Amino acid sequence: MAATAVVGTQWGDEGKGKIVDYLAERSKYVVRFQGGNNAGHTIVVGDQTFKLHLLPSGCVSGKTGVIGNGCVVDPYVLREELRALRERGVEFDLHLSDCAHLILPYHKLLDGAEEAFKGGHAVGTTGRGIGPCYQDKMARIGIRAGDLLHPERLRKKVMENVGLNQAMLKAYGQKQPLDVEQMLGDLTEAAEVLKPYIMDTATLLQDAAANEEPILLEGAQGIMLDPDHGTYPFVTSSYVASGGMCSGSGLAPRDIGDVVGVVKAYTTRVGAGPFPTELDTQSGVGKHLATVGHEFGTTTGRPRRTGWLDLVVVNHAVRLCGINQLAVTKMDVLKGLDEVLVCTKYRLPDGREVTTVPSDPDDFAAAEPVYESFEGWGDMGDGTWQGLPAPARIYLQFLREKTGAQIKLVGIGPGRSETIVRQ
Ligand code: GDP
Ligand code: IMO
Ligand code: MG
């Protein structure tokens, strides 16, 4: 049995948490393979809402969560998230990769300092220290979860790493010295809670795959935030596209079967960077999407930018990740609109029309969306595919035709039960 992967096809916040929670029912392991607590995944079960940043969404339904080697982990956030979920009576197992890199307090300081340095060109990061932690990983000076198991090694590495990061902070104009002993003390406390979970998760998952145990891979962010294939430099710092699934978990490409792309029925983006189908959130449809869709960041609470569905973007994700199934979320948010638009191609300043994402950032920033128009719908029916109003089904069929991927799930509300399964 091959692993199933779930990825965001836009700029994040597509509803991956809800879809992973739904699909986790048939899984044993639910695995985060990239990103850190820049992610915010919401799961609504009955009258309970869970917002997870590091723990895989499958933990809510008692599945075994795995935080893979491709992730960056803020030990204090993880400790708190574990405590909070257990306090709510949720029971689950967790494994944390010994090779996952740790976000330490100076990474967060550097995140802020880098953003301030960029001024008007700031990315609008979540401020969680994600970029600086991955920078340390690639510079081969990072501190990993496995180091928490070896206090002497940890002390030596932190001492070296603090020196370099302090120098970086100084270069950005921040002169306040870092309190290394305080940091080591805090880290030792967090380590006491996290130690039992730390292990070689790559081998665990490879063995699980060999034994045909069901594995669900939970992507964070969305394809347009991938550093290579997204809107660089307005991206995150981990590989969102398919390569990340393998390098970040230890699974081989042949271990992965279905790839489910989560598509919000319109588009949102938090942070800076180009967004061809963007609307004005202060009026009209843009405001409708922002207010009816409650479009505020799960992690930072920032208002999300809103716009029409962009199939050029979704197809970029389909091609990059080999998506063969779609989960379309938030169809209910479009109800009540007279007309619904979908972007199917871009017109570039030189007059060319393209159906693929231009790799040149200036071309992408100048791309003008070309839309097809659809009739709106007024209700969501009885919760079955057949019960969906005809215009909503026509809209979904159009997505199916244009992407070549099967529509498996349709979200008509935030709750676990507000999900239509297409047999
Ligand atoms: P993620 O980061 O991809 O997991 O998405 P977020 O949790 O950050 O944001 C998605 C938001 O949409 C959350 O508040 C979900 O509860 C909500 N949501 C997910 N699916 C649906 C849906 O089909 N309809 C509605 N109305 N809300 C949904
Ligand atoms: P989920 O998993 C939406 C965005 C930030 C910023 C850029 C870089 O909930 O879909 P970072 O802190 O990663 O260095 O910020 O990426 N971003 C997200 N936007 N959803 C997310 O995660 C995001 N994670 C990062 O807003 O523009
Ligand atoms: Mg989110």
Side-chain angles (χ1 to χ4, degrees):
M1 177 187 284
T4 299
V6 176
V7 287
T9 60
Q10 294 152 318
W11 276 279
D13 302 327
E14 296 89 352
K16 297 176 293 292
K18 171 183 161 152
I19 299 302
V20 168
D21 168 68
Y22 191 87
L23 295 174
E25 197 187 349
R26 283 181 280 133
S27 222
K28 174 168 181 187
Y29 296 101
V30 181
V31 186
R32 278 281 307 270
F33 54 88
Q34 44 79 224
N37 59 313
N38 47 350
H41 297 174
T42 315
I43 299 123
V44 180
V45 189
D47 59 0
Q48 296 234 59
T49 298
F50 301 88
K51 290 181 187 292
L52 299 181
H53 302 283
L54 272 171
L55 289 174
S57 297
C59 290
V60 167
S61 56
K63 301 297 170 173
T64 299
V66 178
I67 301 177
N69 57 278
C71 295
V72 288
V73 175
D74 185 322
Y76 314 109
V77 172
L78 181 56
R79 180 179 60 181
E80 174 54 22
E81 208 161 282
L82 275 164
R83 190 200 60 73
L85 199 55
R86 294 239 158 90
E87 201 174 86
R88 292 175 72 174
V90 182
E91 290 193 12
F92 56 92
D93 282 335
L94 177 71
H95 302 298
L96 166 62
S97 168
D98 52 1
C99 294
H101 280 248
L102 297 181
I103 300 176
L104 295 182
Y106 47 81
H107 291 126
K108 285 187 273 184
L109 293 175
L110 264 173
D111 197 348
E114 286 174 5
E115 285 282 272
F117 176 78
K118 287 177 184 159
H121 304 289
V123 176
T125 70
T126 58
R128 302 301 193 260
I130 305 296
C133 184
Y134 278 115
Q135 284 168 37
D136 277 4
K137 171 176 175 172
M138 292 314 186
R140 294 158 294 188
I141 57 168
I143 293 157
R144 307 198 291 183
D147 295 327
L148 295 175
L149 303 174
H150 304 280
E152 279 314 306
R153 187 165 97 193
L154 178 70
R155 167 171 281 275
K156 188 166 167 284
K157 289 183 78 172
V158 169
M159 291 308 225
E160 284 169 8
N161 194 301
V162 162
L164 285 161
N165 277 281
Q166 179 83 70
M168 287 283 287
L169 281 166
K170 259 196 193 141
Y172 282 117
Q174 296 206 1
K175 299 201 170 65
Q176 204 174 334
L178 297 166
D179 186 340
V180 192
E181 289 307 327
Q182 171 83 45
M183 205 181 298
L184 274 165
D186 292 347
L187 208 45
T188 308
E189 268 182 34
E192 284 314 309
V193 176
L194 301 184
K195 269 178 190 170
Y197 307 109
I198 299 171
M199 66 175 303
D200 172 2
T201 54
T203 303
L204 173 87
L205 293 173
Q206 289 155 4
D207 287 345
N211 292 329
E212 307 235 314
E213 292 177 307
I215 300 170
L216 187 62
L217 296 165
E218 173 176 2
Q221 288 83 52
I223 209 70
M224 295 306 278
L225 293 170
D226 184 272
D228 281 301
H229 301 289
T231 46
Y232 189 88
F234 300 100
V235 293
T236 190
S237 302
S238 65
Y239 293 115
V240 181
S242 47
M245 296 170 198
C246 293
S247 68
S249 67
L251 290 173
R254 68 164 179 216
D255 293 328
I256 298 173
D258 290 330
V259 182
V260 182
V262 186
V263 183
K264 197 179 271 188
Y266 49 97
T267 312
T268 60
R269 173 164 204 178
V270 211
F275 177 178
T277 62
E278 183 166 18
L279 297 166
D280 175 9
T281 49
Q282 300 307 309
S283 63
V285 175
K287 188 174 178 184
H288 171 102
L289 299 175
T291 48
V292 180
H294 303 290
E295 294 297 351
F296 294 92
T298 308
T299 299
T300 58
R302 290 178 290 176
R304 294 175 182 145
R305 300 155 66 191
T306 61
W308 292 119
L309 180 62
D310 185 340
L311 283 184
V312 182
V313 160
V314 173
N315 270 325
H316 190 54
V318 168
R319 291 154 68 111
L320 282 164
C321 300
I323 290 167
N324 62 333
Q325 298 181 355
L326 296 181
V328 184
T329 61
K330 297 197 131 177
M331 281 293 284
D332 53 304
V333 175
L334 293 177
K335 83 183 169 198
L337 297 175
D338 294 334
E339 184 191 29
V340 179
L341 300 187
V342 179
C343 166
T344 52
K345 58 186 173 184
Y346 300 146
R347 193 169 295 124
L348 301 181
D350 63 8
R352 273 181 304 142
E353 288 191 343
V354 295
T355 53
T356 53
V357 169
S359 59
D360 183 89
D362 290 340
D363 279 347
F364 188 72
E368 267 194 41
V370 178
Y371 290 110
E372 293 204 23
S373 165
F374 292 82
E375 188 189 329
W377 49 92
D379 68 87
M380 295 319 302
D382 60 3
T384 64
W385 175 266
Q386 287 75 16
L388 276 171
R393 261 185 288 135
I394 290 169
Y395 187 77
L396 292 166
Q397 292 287 12
F398 185 72
L399 259 71
R400 198 257 179 280
E401 278 160 33
K402 286 284 174 187
T403 58
Q406 276 186 321
I407 300 197
K408 283 303 255 195
L409 299 173
V410 179
I412 54 168
R416 187 187 273 169
S417 58
E418 292 167 299
T419 311
I420 295 175
V421 188
R422 183 113 199 257
Q423 302 301 343

